[in-house]
Amino acid sequence: MIDLTRSQFMRRFALGLGLSLMVAACGGGDPGTSDAGTPADAGGVIKVATEPAFPPFESQGPDGELEGFDIDLMMAIGETAGLEVQFESLPFDGIIPALQAGTVDAAISGMTITEERAQTVDFSSPYFKAGLAIAVQEGTDDINGFEDLENKKIAVQIGTTGASEAAKIPGAEISTFDSAPLALQELVNGNVDAVINDAPVTLFAISSDNITGLKVVGELLTEEFYGIALPKGSANLAAINDALAAMIADGSYAEIYQKWFGAEPPTLPESAF
Ligand code: ARG
């Protein structure tokens, strides 16, 4: 049952990505390195923020325990880097402020590496390739792409790239929700015309039994890469990047990817832009 769900999900995810592959325009821009911060002690504790309503990246199991691709990946990175990972659940739009205030040491939350965010936090190398998709009710036939969203009602999760993308649509009436599942539920309830959200998460919700009566339309709106976010100048950045690179090289990254997506991971670029 779970396998069926996952493979169904992967088919749709792969299809979605296939439809939309745009050649990534490569801008310059070396991610700057910084000397600020103190080196983490070997065996140090690292407090990692996440907003755990974003399956299959992070969610809560029946007993409230965290699970998902990001959770497994972060635990393995911690093990490789000699850091003890302690997760802390935060609202998504509270994560960057928490990193800036230094109340958490890192965040893994399906967070897209954007130039705007990179001005206030540091990002690890990309660890996942994603993109935004439009979801509508199954019976909808007048929304087939971004240009059809003008003057429509759109639900998004607050503080996300989906919310930024929705803000560009002329005349759109946007409602923001604390989580992606709540935005999708608003669409199921018929209170909005569409949801703009990360494709893998929307497709996973559709292929699980949690959400019914929705479909993804059109091409992916964006190509995005997720990164682990850290306070600017964090001394943990190098250790996390080294651990990620080692895990990609030795196949342990691919193993975690297989577990959650039932497929071989794509090759990741060294930087997102
Ligand atoms: N990738 C999108 C962004 O970075 C959405 C991430 C939402 N993550 C979450 N755990 N709710 O804006």
Side-chain angles (χ1 to χ4, degrees):
M1 176 65 183
I2 284 175
D3 284 349
L4 180 72
T5 295
R6 285 210 180 115
S7 71
Q8 233 176 6
F9 158 66
M10 269 322 296
R11 267 205 307 280
R12 294 190 202 185
F13 182 39
L15 185 71
L17 285 178
L19 284 173
S20 71
L21 277 187
M22 285 184 293
V23 180
C26 298
D30 253 345
T33 48
S34 164
D35 291 321
T38 35
D41 299 326
V45 173
I46 184 171
K47 225 196 269 178
V48 182
T50 193
E51 191 281 298
F54 210 57
F57 295 96
E58 43 266 335
S59 57
Q60 284 175 288
D63 303 317
E65 74 285 4
L66 292 173
E67 59 184 26
F69 175 80
D70 284 355
I71 305 302
D72 285 353
L73 182 68
M74 193 68 225
M75 292 301 289
I77 286 175
E79 227 162 87
T80 309
L83 296 165
E84 187 194 320
V85 173
Q86 278 176 10
F87 285 106
E88 182 167 323
S89 297
L90 285 181
F92 188 72
D93 63 343
I95 290 179
I96 288 183
L99 289 166
Q100 287 181 287
T103 54
V104 294
D105 303 307
I108 191 161
S109 203
M111 187 181 284
T112 302
I113 302 170
T114 68
E115 300 200 41
E116 194 189 344
R117 289 172 179 162
Q119 290 174 6
T120 51
V121 295
D122 281 349
F123 281 103
S124 71
S125 314
Y127 72 83
F128 192 88
K129 181 175 162 182
L132 295 173
I134 301 167
V136 297
Q137 283 201 350
E138 244 160 26
T140 303
D141 53 14
D142 63 335
I143 299 177
N144 296 299
F146 193 65
E147 53 300 332
D148 302 326
L149 293 175
E150 276 190 28
N151 304 316
K152 299 285 190 202
K153 291 186 190 154
I154 299 165
V156 295
Q157 182 183 10
I158 192 164
T160 59
T161 48
S164 317
E165 208 57 24
K168 297 178 189 163
I169 302 164
E173 190 184 311
I174 300 175
S175 1
T176 53
F177 292 85
D178 287 340
S179 75
L182 288 173
L184 290 167
Q185 191 56 49
E186 191 74 352
L187 178 57
V188 172
N189 295 348
N191 297 328
V192 292
D193 304 305
V195 164
I196 300 180
N197 183 45
D198 297 44
V201 171
T202 295
L203 292 167
F204 187 83
I206 290 174
S207 67
S208 72
D209 294 331
N210 300 344
I211 290 282
T212 49
L214 301 188
K215 65 177 179 182
V216 162
V217 290
E219 304 190 343
L220 290 197
L221 304 180
T222 54
E223 179 179 70
E224 303 187 2
F225 293 96
Y226 296 164
I228 296 167
L230 301 125
K232 269 266 174 235
S234 168
N236 293 317
L237 180 61
I240 286 175
N241 276 338
D242 288 352
L244 179 61
M247 288 175 53
I248 289 172
D250 74 8
S252 46
Y253 170 88
E255 219 171 278
I256 297 172
Y257 196 99
Q258 272 289 353
K259 171 179 168 187
W260 290 99
F261 300 102
E264 282 300 308
T267 307
L268 293 164
E270 258 168 52
S271 82
F273 40 75

